[in-house]
Amino acid sequence: MIESMAAGEGPKFLYLYGPKGAGLSHLLEAFLPGTAESGLRVPIYTAGEKLYAVDDIETLDRGYAQQLLQLQNAVYADADAKLVCAGRLPPKELPLPDGVKNRILGGICYAVVPLDESDRFAELSRQAQLRGILMTPDMEQWMSRHLPRDMRSLTRVMDIANQMALHATRRVTLSVIREAAKAAGLLPAEK
């Protein structure tokens, strides 16, 4: 759905909701790269721009909620524009004006559930395989016991391990994973 919207297809409005760690911000970033760094809580509609994203909409104050409604109305009027919003609450529970909630409910709403432990490591193994890394059971066990369980941290460790191994022209092993976790600041440095 996100990919088709980013390509200018699919629905006009999409609302994604779920708990912290479900990957909502990551999905918004996939839809519209630079969303997190834009510095705007609610972007301003600009003719010619077709993609808009708003994160953490349940935290918008009254002024930002009004800006979101204006953005929703402008996107609605633009035949090619798309808006993806993300938040922690189901649409009917959002502490936002009815006009904003009605626009959200007029689109597609999906609950996003975080990956469980086995799914997290299955995805991490898939990502590792794409980099030419063989994820071994001892790597998974160590990472499961010693690292945060969110995909962002696990993927970051895998990326750093891959870079370290490429730089040293060696393969990724458990010791490289440990070094990468230290480099990522996820483990205390040895004294």
Side-chain angles (χ1 to χ4, degrees):
M1 179 75 57
I2 292 277
E3 290 174 348
S4 65
M5 288 181 74
E9 301 168 2
K12 183 157 287 297
F13 297 115
L14 174 64
Y15 177 59
L16 305 170
Y17 63 95
K20 184 172 176 52
L24 300 175
S25 297
H26 180 77
L27 290 170
L28 286 184
E29 193 66 27
F31 169 68
L32 184 59
T35 298
E37 291 87 35
S38 75
L40 296 174
R41 289 284 288 126
V42 177
I44 309 283
Y45 175 80
T46 305
E49 282 189 46
K50 300 302 177 193
L51 303 179
Y52 298 90
V54 181
D55 203 358
D56 299 320
I57 66 170
E58 77 283 356
T59 65
L60 296 177
D61 65 22
R62 190 173 172 160
Y64 283 127
Q66 186 60 38
Q67 277 184 259
L68 178 56
L69 182 59
Q70 290 170 356
L71 177 62
Q72 288 172 315
N73 289 337
V75 166
Y76 184 78
D78 183 329
D80 299 320
K82 309 287 183 191
L83 172 62
V84 178
C85 294
R88 305 279 175 245
L89 301 172
K92 290 183 178 181
E93 295 177 21
L94 289 168
L96 297 170
D98 287 340
V100 172
K101 290 195 279 192
N102 289 338
R103 282 282 189 225
I104 289 169
L105 289 166
I108 295 179
C109 301
Y110 285 122
V112 179
V113 180
L115 297 174
D116 66 19
E117 185 84 3
S118 64
D119 289 338
R120 255 192 310 275
F121 280 101
E123 174 58 18
L124 197 62
S125 291
R126 185 191 71 77
Q127 291 179 19
Q129 187 176 21
L130 292 173
R131 294 172 175 87
I133 299 169
L134 175 62
M135 196 67 174
T136 62
D138 62 328
M139 287 179 192
E140 285 184 24
Q141 289 170 357
W142 186 86
M143 291 174 84
S144 178
R145 274 184 275 172
H146 299 282
L147 298 179
R149 298 232 167 77
D150 63 285
M151 281 304 292
R152 180 173 292 174
S153 297
L154 295 172
T155 302
R156 185 165 175 241
V157 168
M158 189 59 64
D159 287 340
I160 293 170
N162 188 42
Q163 291 300 315
M164 292 172 115
L166 288 172
H167 184 69
T169 59
R170 61 183 186 172
R171 60 186 195 93
V172 174
T173 61
L174 178 55
S175 65
V176 175
I177 295 286
R178 286 182 179 140
E179 288 176 47
K182 287 177 191 168
L186 297 174
L187 290 178
E190 292 179 6
K191 295 180 181 180

